Amino acid sequence: MSTEDGKLGEEKRGLKLNIQWKFVLVGMAVVAAFLGVILGYILPGVEDSLIAEKENKTKELTQSAWTLINDAYQQQKAGTLTEEAAQSLAMKEVGALRYGDDSSGYFWISDLKAYMVMHPIKPEMNGQDQVNYKDPNGKAIFVEFANTVKQKGEGFVMYMWQYGDDTKRIEQKTSYVKGFDTWGWLVGTGIYTVDVNETISAMRNQYMLIGAILAIICICFVFIFSRMIAQNVKKAALVADKLAIGDTLQKVEINAGDETGQMGRSLGNVVKYLYDMSQAADRIAQGDLTVTVEPKSEKDTLGNSFVKMITNLRELVRKVEDNAGNMAAASSQLATASEQSGSATDQIANVSQQIAKGAEEQTKGIGEVNDAIGELAKAIEQVNSGSTEQAKAVEQATNIVQQVSSAAEHTATSAQEAANS
């Protein structure tokens, strides 16, 4: 392996995280996903809903102001007021309207030629031509109001306008205008977009704060619980490592009601099983074949192997005992054959003395005796060659003794005949 590969392997090993920090990272990812959903999906939706709500409210308020103008016109139509008096009443009533928490909301009236009919905040604009009045972006806003009413009868118009009483602060504003065709008027009011932005910003900060608190709580809980899980896993790993080197004297101390506790109990069963098997093996090693091993199931290969081993050992010991008995019987037969061989030798010595006195038959008998003695020596040598040939040697020795006996009888007969002659 090259040096670069070795360094890369070390870097990969260095990036490994334990299970505890993996849980913490998962918790942080969940919190991040939660905040991402809130900031990227929920808040924009809330912002759109809030803007739509304010726009609808602005439309409703404009409608209420338009109703006051129409009421004044109805009085004119009924003949109770002149047109001038009716218009004056309408301007007075609409100019007095206020709304909002700080009563900063108001209405204005202009006509379709972009002349200001009534403005409660900037009375210097009343009766003045506003065709050339433009916002900082160059939009002729009152011309836009007139064009919107001419084209659609009513609608929204966005522009830049002074914020409240602060003449130096210009903010984006959205107004809703509605035309009153009989008098050639239009009435409108507007909301500042910045108000919506400030509300959304406050909500965003609130959600961020809540998210941060939840993140801290979540990470703390995850850290505590993951630490407990990691400790139980480490305990199980330590027991497994010791089992791997043959140490079955282990005690699994994992007390938990979750999956790690179940893992600990299962590992404890494994330790007990291996300990029982090691004790059975120890008794077998000491020669105790009375030990009994009961396999846990058909798939218990170790337990089934122990049962087969014990059965085979017991059969082997039985065969050894049988062979030992056969060996003792063969040894007894060998001792008897040896005694018979001694008697035959004594007879051969006596006969040999008689042969010395015999004639031609004696010489022949002596040759037979010598052959028998040679056979006897071979038989005795075979007896001494080992216990595995003892049974066969005993049989051969018996046959030889019989031959020797026959030869001795023949020699005796020959010697008797020689003596008689």
Side-chain angles (χ1 to χ4, degrees):
M1 184 176 63
S2 64
T3 305
E4 293 181 356
D5 293 338
K7 291 181 178 179
L8 181 59
E10 292 179 358
E11 290 179 357
K12 289 182 177 179
R13 287 193 295 270
L15 294 175
K16 290 183 177 178
L17 296 174
N18 57 32
I19 190 171
Q20 181 176 357
W21 285 107
K22 288 180 180 179
F23 273 112
V24 172
L25 289 178
V26 169
M28 294 176 65
V30 170
V31 173
F34 171 74
L35 291 177
V37 170
I38 290 178
L39 298 179
Y41 179 75
I42 295 179
L43 273 183
V46 172
E47 182 176 7
D48 293 340
S49 298
L50 189 59
I51 291 176
E53 180 183 354
K54 286 185 173 294
E55 287 179 348
N56 290 333
K57 184 177 180 180
T58 302
K59 183 177 180 180
E60 292 174 358
L61 291 172
T62 301
Q63 180 63 40
S64 64
W66 183 91
T67 300
L68 292 178
I69 297 175
N70 185 59
D71 289 343
Y73 169 72
Q74 293 301 323
Q75 293 183 46
Q76 172 193 343
K77 188 175 180 181
T80 57
L81 293 175
T82 62
E83 181 180 20
E84 182 179 357
Q87 291 179 346
S88 178
L89 176 63
M91 288 188 287
K92 181 179 179 181
E93 289 181 345
V94 171
L97 288 177
R98 294 290 185 274
Y99 62 91
D101 296 336
D102 55 356
S103 298
S104 60
Y106 62 89
F107 300 85
W108 83 91
I109 299 174
S110 59
D111 63 15
L112 298 180
K113 296 180 180 180
Y115 275 79
M116 181 62 67
V117 176
M118 183 277 302
H119 198 293
I121 303 300
K122 293 186 175 184
E124 67 275 9
M125 299 177 65
N126 293 342
Q128 302 295 319
D129 183 2
Q130 305 297 329
V131 172
N132 296 321
Y133 187 94
K134 299 178 180 180
D135 68 359
N137 293 330
K139 177 181 286 188
I141 57 178
F142 291 98
V143 174
E144 289 291 332
F145 294 152
N147 291 336
T148 299
V149 170
K150 289 177 183 178
Q151 295 172 4
K152 297 182 293 184
E154 57 186 320
F156 289 100
V157 178
M158 296 181 61
Y159 57 97
M160 304 298 294
W161 189 259
Q162 172 185 319
Y163 188 82
D165 296 333
D166 191 349
T167 57
K168 297 181 180 180
R169 182 181 177 183
I170 305 298
E171 297 289 350
Q172 187 179 43
K173 194 171 186 178
T174 300
S175 291
Y176 190 82
V177 293
K178 184 173 183 177
F180 190 76
D181 296 336
T182 304
W183 290 345
W185 286 3
L186 63 89
V187 60
T189 186
I191 57 171
Y192 289 100
T193 307
V194 67
D195 293 340
V196 178
N197 294 336
E198 288 178 354
T199 302
I200 295 298
S201 179
M203 294 177 64
R204 183 182 294 108
N205 294 336
Q206 184 178 9
Y207 283 128
M208 289 291 289
L209 178 61
I210 294 173
I213 295 173
L214 289 177
I216 295 173
I217 295 174
C218 180
I219 291 173
C220 288
F221 274 102
V222 169
F223 185 83
I224 293 172
F225 288 118
S226 64
R227 182 179 180 84
M228 295 171 59
I229 295 174
Q231 288 177 346
N232 289 338
V233 172
K234 288 179 180 178
K235 290 179 181 179
L238 181 61
V239 172
D241 288 339
K242 291 185 177 181
L243 286 178
I245 59 175
D247 186 1
T248 59
L249 297 176
Q250 298 295 315
K251 184 177 181 181
V252 182
E253 297 179 349
I254 300 177
N255 298 319
D258 54 12
E259 286 80 359
T260 59
Q262 183 179 357
M263 177 185 65
R265 290 187 290 274
S266 299
L267 185 58
N269 293 334
V270 173
V271 172
K272 184 179 183 302
Y273 172 77
L274 293 177
Y275 176 78
D276 293 341
M277 289 299 177
S278 67
Q279 293 300 303
D282 185 62
R283 290 177 60 183
I284 294 172
Q286 294 177 8
D288 182 6
L289 296 181
T290 63
V291 63
T292 301
V293 175
E294 295 183 0
K296 302 296 183 182
S297 67
E298 295 180 355
K299 296 183 179 180
D300 184 3
T301 55
L302 182 59
N304 289 318
S305 297
F306 260 85
V307 171
K308 293 178 182 178
M309 181 182 68
I310 294 172
T311 302
N312 292 335
L313 285 175
R314 288 172 179 170
E315 182 65 21
L316 181 61
V317 169
R318 187 188 63 77
K319 290 181 179 180
V320 170
E321 289 176 349
D322 293 342
N323 290 334
N326 294 333
M327 184 69 71
S331 299
S332 177
Q333 294 176 0
L334 180 60
T336 302
S338 298
E339 291 178 357
Q340 293 176 356
S341 297
S343 299
T345 301
D346 291 339
Q347 293 176 3
I348 291 171
N350 294 330
V351 173
S352 296
Q353 291 176 0
Q354 295 176 1
I355 291 173
K357 299 177 182 181
E360 187 176 352
E361 294 295 332
Q362 290 174 327
T363 304
K364 182 179 179 180
I366 291 171
E368 292 177 353
V369 170
N370 289 333
D371 292 337
I373 292 173
E375 292 294 330
L376 178 62
K378 290 180 181 180
I380 293 172
E381 183 179 357
Q382 290 176 355
V383 169
N384 294 330
S385 64
S387 59
T388 58
E389 301 293 335
Q390 288 176 350
K392 184 178 180 181
V394 170
E395 183 180 358
Q396 292 177 351
T398 303
N399 294 331
I400 293 170
V401 169
Q402 292 175 354
Q403 294 175 5
V404 171
S405 298
S406 297
E409 290 177 359
H410 182 70
T411 303
T413 301
S414 297
Q416 184 67 35
E417 290 176 354
N420 291 333
S421 64

